[in-house]
């Protein structure tokens, strides 16, 4: 074809593009924490809307921003408030702090929407939340259900101009039905299958500016009404992104998402996309000390504040205890700010003149913990009887359970010094003597025993002086120069001291005597391994011998400390075995002597497609080679569990990101659902797995990263993880429940006066459901949110240990969906409900 015809064809294509209408969604992204210059920005938006009547925008602004705007620029605030009621402005992401979503709990996501919507409504009461759209990859697989329960109609899975931290999978055409984990469908504009990653960029897709190539690719894919998108950073001084008036790029028409979907697009589709968590291609600085600390702090606060709410409800139903709603809201606020996406992707950036994001997050989560601890302690203390005498011959222990299932677990708590000189007897509510152990060896007097606590309730035990009934010890051990063996009722573990104290044998007695440790390969169970690029080699903990010491031993619990070194840096690992507990706990500390580089290579060009901090095979990892045949990976996500379809998790470029995120746990299961091993993590991070490499938990990266920051080692590495050998698939083995037990431990308290009784307030034992949250509202009604974590879709019976006048099912805005039929008898109330696996339902209870 000669040059004339090539030019003619190019002209015809260009003319065709210009002749057809193309659509573009413009807007602004940011906020008071994510760079919103309050002194001029609101007036700028108002002026630009006034000067360009053809312009429409979407706003993704942190809701708290408007508090400051209202005070500092009141005239601009009032003008924007008037304009927000028009069809030219749409609010698309009301979450309080614009979290990524995939890295936090499902309950946290709900609170982000609830608090954010409430804040926006105080400023813009006429605004409707119709479309969820974001500029960062703030998506997760459970969102369709959550969005629909908040009244959203549409969603958008594009984030074309800020893909530093990742992007969604490319799929489909003009519209798809995004099918969530529970089967909920929401009409969605996807990142088209033809919407490629932009060449020579590591943060954009081709939809960012409605280029001719993007529009033509869309037409070629059969997309009749192509749409591009860019939510401009709120700190930018741009007006309409593609130009204005008669100079708008490629005949593009500015639309809001609501306008586009309802009035411009095809409006409906038969393309049902069953979006899984692995359609999230996301990558952060996993393993860096700063991100690891943030993830641990957020996890701790998530657990504490939900437990505080639940504990407060137990106390409210028992004795009318009420917490300060204002104080609790304050605790949630600081947790939500710590979950801000910038907290995780730019933790070393200055948030203000005094502190970085990471430093602020520590203050925020400390505040959440203070609030949660105060509420939980007040609730527990409220059980104490007011009728105390001067001399007490007995004491009482109350154990509270915030989960909806019966728990039989070993607990320990500190007793007053008065018990140092006497033996004790322990009795349960039926006045039966309970075997226990009192440790008087340390500074504290510690009581150990196995407690039985009913679902979402409490048990009480009485202490009195007398000869202690000690249980028979079930622990045995042996030691040679090269090996150390420890055994209890569930496990027999052999540590290879000649290879860094790694686990040579892990026999699970209750799982058919299976030895889970794989002894034939190149790797060892519990091995620390990473590539130290300054030395140009992999170092491993198996290269040096280790020594072992006993930290604690009693009939209920045994702790063993392994001390070794990797590349001359000493480490300690404390392994805990508890009587009757399937979970084996590990507490790892690496005492770094200095900053060392760990990763594939020394990063010098963070904007290139090739990235040193992507490939977890080179980061310091804890490895878990296990003797399982053709295993597959399952991993949890917010209100979801995903079966991995990846051959491996390995990637080292921005354009080939794979989902390798561990939220709470991953489960390695034989394909015939035979034996399996669960790995629990104390924070959101990444894992590695694939041909030639066993399952690995990312523990440390050190080197260059996003925006050229040197992510250094500045402190010891500290992390906790746990292993649960089991049989069957994750749901058959109640993996989600065991994870909950780890994250929400039993709460113990001692007092000298308390009724000797036990009670269950919410019983979910046979349903496979979990209590996502439960608390008493200010109006006296009780809110309970249930999540079907492991059950099926059949009808289930929930038992409430109280008489209820009514039960209403409500959406996440609190609006009544239906009045539920209940059955009352003998001071209890039964409710029958059904919901699909991974479904959530919220109820309002009115007690009699």
């Amino acid at each position: 074809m000669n040059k004339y015809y090539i030019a003619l064809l190019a002209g015809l294509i260009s003319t065709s593009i210009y002749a057809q209408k193309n659509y573009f969604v413009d807007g602004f992204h940011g906020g008071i924490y994510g760079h919103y210059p309050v002194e001029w920005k609101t007036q700028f938006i108002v002026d630009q809307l006034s000067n360009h009547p053809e312009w429409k925008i979407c706003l993704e602004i942190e809701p708290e921003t408007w508090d400051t705007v209202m005070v500092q620029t009141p005239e601009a605030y009032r003008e924007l408030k008037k304009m927000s009621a028009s069809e030219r402005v749409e609010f698309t992401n009301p979450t309080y702090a614009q979290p990524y979503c995939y890295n936090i709990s499902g309950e946290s996501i709900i609170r982000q929407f609830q608090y954010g919507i409430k804040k926006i409504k105080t400023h813009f009461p006429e605004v409707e939340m119709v479309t969820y759209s974001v500029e960062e990859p703030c998506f997760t697989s459970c969102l369709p259900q959550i969005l629909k329960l908040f009244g959203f109609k549409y969603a958008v899975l594009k984030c074309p101009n800020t893909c530093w931290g990742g992007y969604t999978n490319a799929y489909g055409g003009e519209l798809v039905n995004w099918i969530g984990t529970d089967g909920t469908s929401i009409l969605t504009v996807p990142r088209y299958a033809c919407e490629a990653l932009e060449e020579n960029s590591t943060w954009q897709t081709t939809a960012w500016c409605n280029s001719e190539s993007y529009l033509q690719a869309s037409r070629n894919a059969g997309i009749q009404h192509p749409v591009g998108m860019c939510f401009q950073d709120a700190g930018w001084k741009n007006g309409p992104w593609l130009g204005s008036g008669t100079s708008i790029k490629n005949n593009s028409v500015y639309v809001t998402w609501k306008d586009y979907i309802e009035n411009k697009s095809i409006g409906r589709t038969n393309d049902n996309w069953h979006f899984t968590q692995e359609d999230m291609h996301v990558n952060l600085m996993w393993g860096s000390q700063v991100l690891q600390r943030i993830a641990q702090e957020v996890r701790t606060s998530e657990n504490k504040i939900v437990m505080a709410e639940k504990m407060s409800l137990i106390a409210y139903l028992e004795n009318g205890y009420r917490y300060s709603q204002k104080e609790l809201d304050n605790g949630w606020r600081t947790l939500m700010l710590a979950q801000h996406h910038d907290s995780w992707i730019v933790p070393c950036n200055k948030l203000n003149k005094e502190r970085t994001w990471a430093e602020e997050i520590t203050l925020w989560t400390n505040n959440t913990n203070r609030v949660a601890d105060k509420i939980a302690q007040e609730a527990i203390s409220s059980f104490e009887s007011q009728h105390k005498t001067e001399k007490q011959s007995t004491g009482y222990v109350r154990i509270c359970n915030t989960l909806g299932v019966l728990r039989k677990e070993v607990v320990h708590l500190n007793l007053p010094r008065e018990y140092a000189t006497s033996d004790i007897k322990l009795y349960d509510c039926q006045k039966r003597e309970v075997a226990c152990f009192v440790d008087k060896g340390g500074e504290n007097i510690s009581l150990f025993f196995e407690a039985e606590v009913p679902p979402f309730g409490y048990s009480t035990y009485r202490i009195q002086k007398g000869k202690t009934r000690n249980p028979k010890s079930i622990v045995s051990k042996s030691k040679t120069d090269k090996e150390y063996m420890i055994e209890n009722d569930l496990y027999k573990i052999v540590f290879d001291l000649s290879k860094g104290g790694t686990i040579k044998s892990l026999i699970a007695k209750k799982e058919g005597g299976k030895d889970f440790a794989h002894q034939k390969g190149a790797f060892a169970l519990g091995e620390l391994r990473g590539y130290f690029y300054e030395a140009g080699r992999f170092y491993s903990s198996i290269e040096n011998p280790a020594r072992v010491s006993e930290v604690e031993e009693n009939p209920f619990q045994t702790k063993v400390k392994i001390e070794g070194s990797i590349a001359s840096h000493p480490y300690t690992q404390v392994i805990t075995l508890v009587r009757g507990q399937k979970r084996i706990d590990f507490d790892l500390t690496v005492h770094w002597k200095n900053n060392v580089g760990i990763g594939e290579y020394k990063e010098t060009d963070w904007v290139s497609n090739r990235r040193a901090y992507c490939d977890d095979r080179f980061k310091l990892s804890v490895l878990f080679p296990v003797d399982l045949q053709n295993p597959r990976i399952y991993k949890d996500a917010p209100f979801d569990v995903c079966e991995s379809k990846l051959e491996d998790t390995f990637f080292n470029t921005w354009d080939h990101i794979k989902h390798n995120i561990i939220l709470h746990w991953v489960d390695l299961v034989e394909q015939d659902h035979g034996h399996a091993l669960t790995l629990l993590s104390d924070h959101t991070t990444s894992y590695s797995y694939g041909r030639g490499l066993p399952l690995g938990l990312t523990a440390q990266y050190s080197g260059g990263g996003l925006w050229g920051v040197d992510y250094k080692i500045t402190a010891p590495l500290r992390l906790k993880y746990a292993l649960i050998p089991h049989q069957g698939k994750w749901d058959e083995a109640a993996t989600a429940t065991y994870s909950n037990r780890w994250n929400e431990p039993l709460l113990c308290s001692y007092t000298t006066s308390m009724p000797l009784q036990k009670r269950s307030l919410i019983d979910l034992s046979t349903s496979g459901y979990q209590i996502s949250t439960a608390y008493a509202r200010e109006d006296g009604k009780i809110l309970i949110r249930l999540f079907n974590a492991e059950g099926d879709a059949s009808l289930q019976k929930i038992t409430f240990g109280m008489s209820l006048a009514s039960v209403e099912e409500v959406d996440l805005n609190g609006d009544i969906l239906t009045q539920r039929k209940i059955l009352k008898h003998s001071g209890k109330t039964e409710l029958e409900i059904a919901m699909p696996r991974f479904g959530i339902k919220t109820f309002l209870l009115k007690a009699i």
Side-chain angles (χ1 to χ4, degrees):
M1 184 180 294
N2 61 37
K3 293 181 180 179
Y4 170 78
Y5 287 109
I6 293 175
L8 178 61
L9 180 59
L12 290 172
I13 291 173
S14 179
T15 300
S16 174
I17 291 174
Y18 277 96
Q20 294 175 303
K21 284 186 177 181
N22 308 299
Y23 298 96
F24 195 80
V25 179
D26 202 353
F28 294 100
H29 155 87
I32 196 71
Y33 299 98
H35 32 79
Y36 186 103
V38 175
E39 65 276 7
W40 62 266
K41 187 63 189 188
T42 310
Q43 187 63 56
F44 176 82
I45 295 173
V46 168
D47 290 344
Q48 291 294 313
L49 284 167
S50 298
N51 295 337
H52 305 290
E54 76 284 0
W55 195 40
K56 296 181 179 181
I57 59 170
C58 288
L59 293 179
E60 188 202 4
I61 306 299
E62 299 157 13
E64 197 172 301
T65 304
W66 306 118
D67 292 346
T68 305
V69 171
M70 179 177 63
V71 173
Q72 293 193 12
T73 57
E75 291 185 12
Y77 169 81
R78 285 193 293 268
E79 288 300 312
L80 182 61
K81 193 169 183 177
K82 293 176 185 177
M83 291 180 169
S84 69
S86 75
E87 294 184 353
R88 295 181 62 196
V89 178
E90 182 180 8
F91 287 71
T92 62
N93 178 12
T95 55
Y96 201 87
Q98 301 176 355
Y100 278 128
C101 294
Y102 63 82
N103 56 338
I104 60 179
S105 71
E107 186 60 35
S108 287
I109 297 171
I110 290 174
R111 300 310 177 91
Q112 287 275 357
F113 277 95
Q114 284 182 334
Y115 280 97
I117 290 172
K118 182 179 180 181
K119 176 64 71 174
I120 288 177
K121 289 288 189 179
T122 63
H123 292 283
F124 307 96
E126 297 182 23
V127 163
E128 290 184 296
M129 304 301 167
V130 179
T131 312
Y132 179 76
S133 178
V134 291
E135 178 63 7
E136 303 267 359
C138 299
F139 309 109
T140 195
S141 53
C142 70
L143 273 181
Q145 177 179 203
I146 291 176
L147 292 173
K148 280 296 193 70
L149 287 170
F150 275 112
F152 283 79
K153 298 178 181 178
Y154 316 116
V156 178
L157 283 168
K158 296 177 183 290
C159 56
N161 206 45
T162 316
C163 300
W164 303 102
Y167 39 82
T168 58
N169 196 14
Y171 175 89
E174 191 164 313
L175 295 173
V176 299
N177 296 315
W178 176 6
I179 310 299
T181 54
D182 70 319
T184 297
S185 174
I186 189 167
L187 190 62
T188 299
V189 180
R191 175 190 157 207
Y192 304 149
C194 65
E195 184 182 331
L197 300 177
E198 184 80 3
E199 292 183 6
N200 303 315
S201 172
T202 54
W203 67 92
Q204 293 166 304
T205 76
T206 54
W208 73 280
C209 67
N210 268 17
S211 64
E212 291 186 10
S213 60
Y214 167 68
L215 295 172
Q216 191 58 52
S218 299
R219 302 285 184 192
N220 292 342
I223 297 170
Q224 301 174 37
H225 313 95
V227 61
M229 168 191 173
C230 177
F231 285 179
Q232 304 174 49
D233 190 287
W236 297 349
K237 289 188 175 181
N238 297 302
W241 186 247
L242 299 186
S244 60
T246 59
S247 302
I248 302 176
K249 185 176 182 180
N250 287 340
N251 196 34
S252 298
V253 177
Y254 289 113
V255 289
T256 63
W257 279 120
K258 179 178 182 292
D259 179 30
Y260 171 76
I261 295 171
E262 292 185 350
N263 303 317
K264 306 297 191 297
S265 74
I266 54 176
R268 64 180 63 186
T269 180
N270 293 322
D271 189 356
N272 295 328
W273 186 14
H274 293 269
F275 185 101
T276 77
Q277 198 66 359
E278 290 191 335
D279 288 307
M280 291 293 303
H281 300 264
V282 286
N283 181 47
L284 296 175
M285 296 299 303
W286 306 120
S288 65
Q289 283 201 335
V290 62
L291 184 57
Q292 187 176 80
R293 185 173 65 253
I294 287 168
Q296 289 170 331
E297 289 172 342
V298 168
R299 176 64 51 77
T300 296
S301 294
E302 282 184 326
N303 292 339
K304 279 179 174 287
I305 197 164
V306 169
M307 287 187 70
E309 286 183 334
K310 294 178 179 180
M311 189 63 236
S312 72
L313 176 59
I314 295 174
Y316 170 75
L317 292 171
E318 283 298 288
N319 52 52
Y321 165 76
R322 298 303 297 263
Y323 56 81
S324 165
Q325 186 63 50
K326 183 178 180 180
E327 195 166 23
L328 184 68
D329 291 343
N330 175 35
W332 271 109
R333 173 185 172 270
T334 49
L335 171 57
M336 291 186 296
L337 292 176
Q339 295 167 337
H340 193 294
H341 64 269
D342 280 345
S343 295
W344 296 67
I345 198 168
V346 288
C348 300
N349 283 12
K350 284 283 187 180
L351 178 59
N352 51 49
K353 293 181 180 180
E354 298 179 358
R355 291 180 290 274
T356 64
W357 275 97
E359 291 166 338
E360 200 71 44
I361 289 161
T362 298
L363 297 179
W364 281 333
T365 53
N366 283 348
N367 177 69
T368 301
N369 297 344
R370 179 192 61 79
V371 170
D373 289 344
K374 180 175 181 289
I375 291 173
Q377 186 55 53
E378 286 178 352
I380 291 172
S381 298
S382 70
F383 287 120
E384 296 183 16
S385 172
Q386 301 301 311
H387 304 288
K388 298 182 180 180
T389 58
E390 292 183 2
K391 294 183 179 180
Q392 295 288 339
S393 60
T394 60
Y396 295 87
V397 177
R398 177 151 288 182
I399 316 294
C400 295
N401 173 16
T402 58
L403 304 186
V405 295
L406 174 69
R407 297 169 74 170
K408 294 182 180 180
E409 298 177 22
V410 171
V411 298
H412 71 275
L413 74 159
N414 295 328
L415 298 178
R417 294 299 305 178
E418 65 188 72
Y419 291 102
T421 58
S422 62
D423 288 339
I424 68 168
K425 287 179 176 291
L426 185 69
Y427 296 90
D428 65 13
C429 296
Q430 285 74 45
K431 300 182 180 181
R432 296 173 300 193
E433 187 175 356
V434 178
C436 63
F437 175 79
V438 181
D439 184 356
K440 304 177 183 178
E443 295 182 2
N444 298 314
I445 310 299
S446 297
L447 171 65
F448 292 80
F449 67 98
E450 184 180 63
E452 180 174 308
V453 193
F456 199 80
Y458 59 86
S459 285
T460 314
Y461 293 81
R462 179 167 57 87
I463 300 172
Q464 69 179 45
K465 294 180 181 180
K467 184 175 178 56
T468 304
R469 178 190 163 199
N470 288 316
K472 181 181 179 182
S473 176
I474 54 173
V475 177
S476 62
K477 54 187 183 293
S478 64
K479 182 180 180 182
T480 67
D481 290 341
K482 294 184 178 181
E483 291 183 353
Y484 181 84
M485 186 276 292
I486 185 170
E487 182 176 8
N488 74 349
D489 58 325
L490 297 183
Y491 298 109
K492 180 179 180 181
I493 303 176
V494 178
F495 299 96
D496 191 336
L497 301 181
S498 68
K499 294 183 178 180
T502 53
I503 296 175
K504 181 178 181 180
S505 177
L506 172 53
I507 295 175
K509 298 179 181 180
K510 303 296 184 181
E511 313 302 331
K514 168 75 174 177
D515 190 346
F516 280 79
H518 186 64
Q519 302 179 32
K520 298 179 181 179
F523 307 106
L525 187 62
E527 173 185 354
L528 288 171
R529 179 179 183 269
Y531 189 76
F532 291 62
Y533 55 74
E534 293 160 329
R537 58 162 290 192
F538 279 97
Y539 280 105
S540 170
S541 60
I542 66 174
E543 297 172 354
N544 304 304
R547 61 183 182 273
V548 65
S549 59
E550 295 167 7
V551 179
E552 180 181 305
E553 181 183 350
N554 64 58
F556 290 97
Q557 177 174 283
T558 302
K559 292 185 177 181
V560 174
K561 180 192 287 185
I562 302 291
E563 297 176 277
S565 65
I566 177 169
S568 81
H569 301 273
Y571 67 84
T572 59
Q573 182 155 236
V574 177
I575 299 95
T576 304
L577 292 180
V578 178
R579 185 187 191 115
Q581 177 180 283
K582 296 185 67 174
R583 191 185 73 240
I584 307 169
D585 292 333
F586 296 79
D587 192 337
L588 171 66
T589 303
V590 179
H591 305 274
W592 299 109
K593 294 180 178 179
N594 55 281
N595 179 48
V596 292
I598 306 174
E600 188 180 5
Y601 57 88
K602 183 176 177 60
E603 181 68 77
T604 58
D605 182 13
W606 65 272
V607 295
S608 67
N609 189 41
R610 188 81 161 79
R611 295 180 169 181
Y613 50 86
C614 289
D615 199 332
D616 290 347
R617 288 176 293 184
F618 295 88
K619 298 176 183 178
L620 186 72
S621 297
V622 188
L623 302 181
F624 306 98
V626 290
D627 188 20
L628 300 176
Q629 302 301 313
N630 300 315
R632 64 182 67 184
I633 287 278
Y634 293 85
K635 49 193 170 186
D636 85 316
F639 292 142
D640 187 19
V641 176
C642 174
E643 179 183 357
S644 179
K645 302 298 183 182
L646 299 174
E647 292 185 6
D648 59 59
T649 62
F650 313 143
F651 66 93
N652 51 29
T653 59
W654 172 77
D655 59 0
H656 284 86
I657 297 174
K658 299 178 183 179
H659 184 278
N660 62 348
I661 310 301
I662 173 173
L663 180 64
H664 296 95
W665 56 265
V666 293
D667 209 25
L668 196 60
V669 188
E670 290 180 325
Q671 290 195 18
D672 62 358
H673 300 163
H675 289 95
L677 182 76
T678 300
L679 167 64
L680 304 174
S681 171
D682 72 346
H683 67 292
T684 303
T685 185
S686 63
Y687 71 94
S688 54
Y689 184 68
R691 184 173 300 175
L693 192 72
L695 176 65
L697 176 66
T698 299
Q700 196 81 91
Y701 171 80
S702 177
L706 283 167
W707 289 279
V709 175
D710 186 4
Y711 285 80
K712 294 180 179 180
I713 292 173
T714 60
L717 160 67
R718 293 189 174 95
L719 65 85
K720 295 181 180 180
Y721 63 92
L723 298 176
I724 305 176
H726 64 87
Q727 296 186 68
K729 216 171 76 170
W730 66 272
D731 49 354
E732 299 166 357
T735 295
T737 298
Y738 280 109
S739 175
N740 259 18
R741 288 180 173 180
W742 196 42
N743 285 282
E744 295 189 31
L746 294 169
L747 297 174
C748 309
S749 65
Y750 170 86
T751 184
T752 56
S753 180
M754 185 177 290
L756 187 63
Q757 60 187 28
K758 67 177 180 179
R759 187 180 179 190
S760 172
L761 298 166
I762 309 171
D763 189 348
L764 309 177
S765 294
T766 62
S767 65
Y769 295 175
Q770 293 178 354
I771 301 173
S772 183
T773 192
Y775 57 89
R777 302 198 317 180
E778 288 184 292
D779 62 4
K781 289 188 176 181
I782 299 163
L783 184 144
I784 295 174
R785 185 155 31 252
L786 303 181
F787 165 54
N788 186 352
E790 296 166 338
D792 57 29
S794 63
L795 199 63
Q796 301 291 337
K797 183 169 68 175
I798 312 302
T799 302
F800 298 98
M802 67 201 90
S803 293
L804 298 176
S806 65
V807 175
E808 298 166 336
E809 183 179 347
V810 297
D811 64 15
L812 294 177
N813 289 316
D815 296 329
I816 298 174
L817 297 175
T818 183
Q819 189 83 25
R820 302 304 301 247
K821 182 180 179 180
I822 55 177
L823 178 63
K824 292 177 284 185
H825 60 84
S826 303
K828 296 183 179 182
T829 305
E830 291 181 355
L831 170 68
E832 289 189 331
I833 62 172
M835 57 178 162
R837 171 75 60 86
F838 308 133
I840 55 176
K841 285 185 179 293
T842 306
F843 300 96
L844 284 181
L845 317 180
K846 185 176 181 180
I848 296 177

